[in-house]
Amino acid sequence: MSPIRRPHPHQRGQALVESALSILVFITMMIGVIDLGQMIYFQQSLVERTRAAARYGSISPSQTAAIRNVAIYGNPNPPEGATPVLPGLTQSMVTVETFGVGTVSPRITISISGYPINFVTPGIAGAVQARRITITYPIETA
């Protein structure tokens, strides 16, 4: 039977320091993964909102306010005091443009830009703007 080995006096606390450093790196990486997931979620939600507005706009291209409401609230006629589908999404972030009206191929373009995404990862904490999302659909003509 071998005797119990005791650590040298200058090695005390080494495991504690190594654990603290490892946990610090691990937690920072986990928060970074959460931030990345949040960014992807908001980006895809903005794409979905833009597509919904473009689909509605392809049928009713002259109703600019209703198209914006579909992008923001998911409803062309939202009730009073309705909250946006994505928090912080405003009318000024949604752009509606029509092209080629009266021609063979009229189309509508919906853009959402300037949506803020907040990070919490140490070192990059703060808000960034989501990239501009633009969807173009042909206008349905009867």
Side-chain angles (χ1 to χ4, degrees):
M1 194 183 242
S2 63
I4 298 175
R5 292 187 66 201
R6 295 184 184 223
H8 294 292
H10 63 277
Q11 289 182 337
R12 283 189 186 171
Q14 177 182 350
L16 181 64
V17 171
E18 288 176 1
S19 297
L21 292 173
S22 297
I23 288 173
L24 179 66
V25 170
F26 177 74
I27 289 174
T28 302
M29 286 177 54
M30 288 305 296
I31 292 172
V33 167
I34 291 168
D35 276 345
L36 180 64
Q38 174 185 325
M39 185 178 70
I40 291 170
Y41 168 77
F42 280 121
Q43 192 72 23
Q44 289 306 311
S45 295
L46 289 169
V47 168
E48 191 273 327
R49 299 301 340 130
T50 308
R51 282 188 185 144
R55 283 192 301 269
Y56 182 83
S58 70
I59 297 169
S60 306
S62 62
Q63 299 178 2
T64 306
I67 294 168
R68 281 194 175 105
N69 286 337
V70 168
I72 296 169
Y73 303 107
N75 185 347
N77 300 308
E80 189 67 33
T83 58
V85 174
L86 292 173
L89 187 59
T90 63
Q91 295 277 342
S92 63
M93 295 176 189
V94 181
T95 306
V96 179
E97 299 173 309
T98 55
F99 300 99
V101 176
T103 64
V104 178
S105 60
R107 58 196 185 282
I108 188 163
T109 298
I110 313 295
S111 297
I112 297 180
S113 62
Y115 186 78
I117 299 175
N118 296 310
F119 290 114
V120 294
T121 302
I124 62 169
V128 297
Q129 289 186 352
R131 65 187 182 105
R132 179 184 190 100
I133 296 171
T134 304
I135 305 282
T136 301
Y137 269 38
I139 294 175
E140 298 290 326
T141 56

